[in-house]
Amino acid sequence: MKKPYKEIINYIYFFLLVAFVTTCTIVLFMDILMKTLGYEFTQEEITKSAVSTFLLVLFISLSFATIDYIRRVITVIRPTKEIQKCLNELTHGDFSARVKPTVSESYFGDIANDINKLAKELSSVETLRSDFISNVSHEIKTPLAIIQNYGMLLSDSNLNDEKRIEYAKVITKSSRQLAELVTNILRLNKLENQEIFPSKESFNLSEELCSALLSFEDIWNERNIEIEVDIEEEIYTLGDAALLSLVWNNLLSNAFKFTPQGGRVRVYLKLYNDKAVVRVEDSGIGMSEDTTKHIFEKFYQGDTSHREKGNGLGLALAKRIVDIHNGEIDVLSEVKKGSSFIVTLPHSEKHYYN
């Protein structure tokens, strides 16, 4: 037997009992009344009164039972079924499922709203997961295809030494890109899952920034890029110098990548309002306003001119590192005029340790 019918039968049993008890009470009341007033009710009057009272109580009871059941169907049973249906769809992978708005008018409104929020979050996570897999697959496939193609070319026995060296360099470069991609994915995953805990140690940010810049000396000399440096000495910050070095290397690497021959790269470090502010500027191709809004997202590379020069993880990794150091990273850019990345970190005393 279905649950609704069981509930109706239970209601009938309950209100039959109520009607019976009420009728017995009235009969007892009439008996007391006869003894008190000395009036004798006939058996026929008593029977008639008892029956009519029982039927009246039964009718009223059933009416209220019906009204209460309808109320429960509207405010409890129907919303519960709607919520169960939505949860069942979610557990089977349909993250587009939502509890209907009509449920919000019942006692389950808050639960329904929370479930819809959960479904929306799950849908976003699923979209990110799908995009992540798609992007990773694409980024891995590209260098693998290059390695495969040039590997086949190297197998040609008639290949001269000059071409052989050239193809070997291409394979090495693609292998390095693939290794960098995998490393960045692992680093970003560990940072997002809080598996990496940065050390809290005061270090000389001025020296670290100079050291990072000098590692690109061969590049700016080879491409005749003008370097403008304004790094204030003895500025300290609290954090993990090794992790933050990934940020400086990424920002400087991007600046040199997108700056044309004979261009200019500027590096600043100043202390403003007890904050260490690093600014890396270039005179490169710049970015559109829409690109700057998404530039710190994983695998986002903006227009096609950026795609062949990176895997779209460097800035996402940089932002996550800056975030866990209680800092901020921002970008200002204009197409064909260059970009400027600004990193703000808390300033610390020279010998502070945590």
Side-chain angles (χ1 to χ4, degrees):
M1 188 176 290
K2 295 181 179 179
K3 279 188 176 181
Y5 293 116
K6 284 185 177 181
E7 291 183 1
I8 292 174
I9 289 174
N10 289 336
Y11 269 120
I12 292 174
Y13 285 152
F14 173 73
F15 288 109
L16 279 175
L17 178 62
V18 172
F20 176 73
V21 172
T22 305
T23 302
C24 291
T25 303
I26 291 176
V27 171
L28 180 61
F29 171 75
M30 291 176 64
D31 183 62
I32 295 172
L33 189 64
M34 284 190 300
K35 289 179 180 179
T36 303
L37 299 177
Y39 178 80
E40 289 287 339
F41 288 100
T42 64
Q43 185 64 38
E44 182 181 353
E45 287 176 327
I46 294 173
T47 304
K48 185 178 179 181
S49 178
V51 172
S52 60
T53 301
F54 178 81
L55 292 175
L56 181 61
V57 172
L58 181 61
F59 173 75
I60 294 173
S61 300
L62 288 175
S63 298
F64 277 106
T66 303
I67 293 171
D68 183 64
Y69 176 72
I70 294 172
R71 179 193 64 81
R72 288 190 62 198
V73 167
I74 295 173
T75 61
V76 179
I77 297 175
R78 189 180 296 168
T80 302
K81 287 184 177 179
E82 186 66 32
I83 290 172
Q84 287 176 333
K85 179 184 175 184
C86 179
L87 289 174
N88 185 57
E89 291 174 355
L90 289 174
T91 55
H92 285 84
D94 182 8
F95 299 117
S96 64
R98 298 289 186 275
V99 181
K100 292 180 180 178
T102 52
V103 176
S104 62
E105 300 173 2
S106 71
Y107 299 126
F108 296 89
D110 291 339
I111 297 175
N113 290 335
D114 288 341
I115 290 175
N116 284 340
K117 288 179 183 178
L118 174 64
K120 186 177 180 180
E121 289 297 321
L122 288 173
S123 180
S124 299
V125 170
E126 177 62 18
T127 301
L128 288 174
R129 186 188 69 83
S130 299
D131 290 346
F132 181 79
I133 292 173
S134 175
N135 287 322
V136 168
S137 300
H138 172 74
E139 295 295 340
I140 290 177
K141 184 179 179 180
T142 302
L144 283 178
I146 294 173
I147 292 170
Q148 182 181 18
N149 292 336
Y150 279 88
M152 292 175 64
L153 292 173
L154 280 173
S155 64
D156 185 358
S157 58
N158 297 321
L159 198 66
N160 60 49
D161 290 341
E162 183 180 350
K163 286 292 183 182
R164 195 179 300 279
I165 293 172
E166 179 186 345
Y167 295 164
K169 286 182 178 179
V170 173
I171 291 175
T172 302
K173 181 181 178 182
S174 296
S175 300
R176 190 179 297 113
Q177 288 177 346
L178 189 58
E180 181 184 355
L181 171 64
V182 173
T183 301
N184 283 340
I185 289 174
L186 292 174
R187 282 174 176 164
L188 193 55
N189 181 64
K190 287 182 178 180
L191 286 170
E192 291 181 340
N193 292 325
Q194 297 182 345
E195 294 177 11
I196 293 179
F197 300 96
S199 62
K200 296 292 184 180
E201 182 178 334
S202 182
F203 67 92
N204 193 324
L205 181 58
S206 304
E207 290 183 359
E208 290 291 332
L209 199 57
C210 287
S211 177
L213 180 60
L214 287 173
S215 67
F216 293 90
E217 185 176 6
D218 290 342
I219 295 177
W220 80 60
N221 286 329
E222 179 184 345
R223 298 175 60 189
N224 195 29
I225 294 175
E226 179 187 349
I227 301 297
E228 186 175 323
V229 179
D230 187 3
I231 297 177
E232 187 174 332
E233 295 182 357
E234 298 297 309
I235 292 182
Y236 284 76
T237 189
L238 187 66
D240 191 317
L243 269 181
L244 283 169
S245 68
L246 297 175
V247 177
W248 318 134
N249 287 331
N250 180 266
L251 296 182
L252 291 168
S253 174
N254 286 341
F256 289 113
K257 277 180 186 177
F258 300 113
T259 298
Q261 185 90 11
R264 183 185 64 251
V265 171
R266 295 174 177 174
V267 182
Y268 298 94
L269 172 60
K270 295 291 181 180
L271 196 61
Y272 292 108
N273 299 323
D274 207 33
K275 299 283 186 180
V277 180
V278 178
R279 191 179 185 111
V280 178
E281 297 181 359
D282 65 65
S283 59
I285 58 178
M287 295 177 286
S288 65
E289 184 179 351
D290 184 62
T291 299
T292 59
K293 290 178 181 179
H294 304 280
I295 197 65
F296 296 109
E297 296 175 7
K298 286 183 288 189
F299 292 107
Y300 188 83
Q301 295 172 318
D303 54 57
T304 54
S305 62
H306 290 72
R307 288 175 187 164
E308 59 188 38
K309 297 188 178 183
N311 52 49
L313 280 177
L315 288 174
L317 182 62
K319 177 169 174 51
R320 184 59 186 143
I321 293 172
V322 172
D323 286 345
I324 64 177
H325 282 83
N326 299 318
E328 295 179 1
I329 183 169
D330 202 1
V331 59
L332 300 173
S333 187
E334 191 173 344
V335 176
K336 295 182 180 180
K337 290 190 176 182
S339 302
S340 176
F341 285 86
I342 305 102
V343 177
T344 305
L345 293 170
H347 177 246
S348 76
E349 297 300 325
K350 184 174 181 179
H351 299 297
Y352 182 85
Y353 295 90
N354 186 17

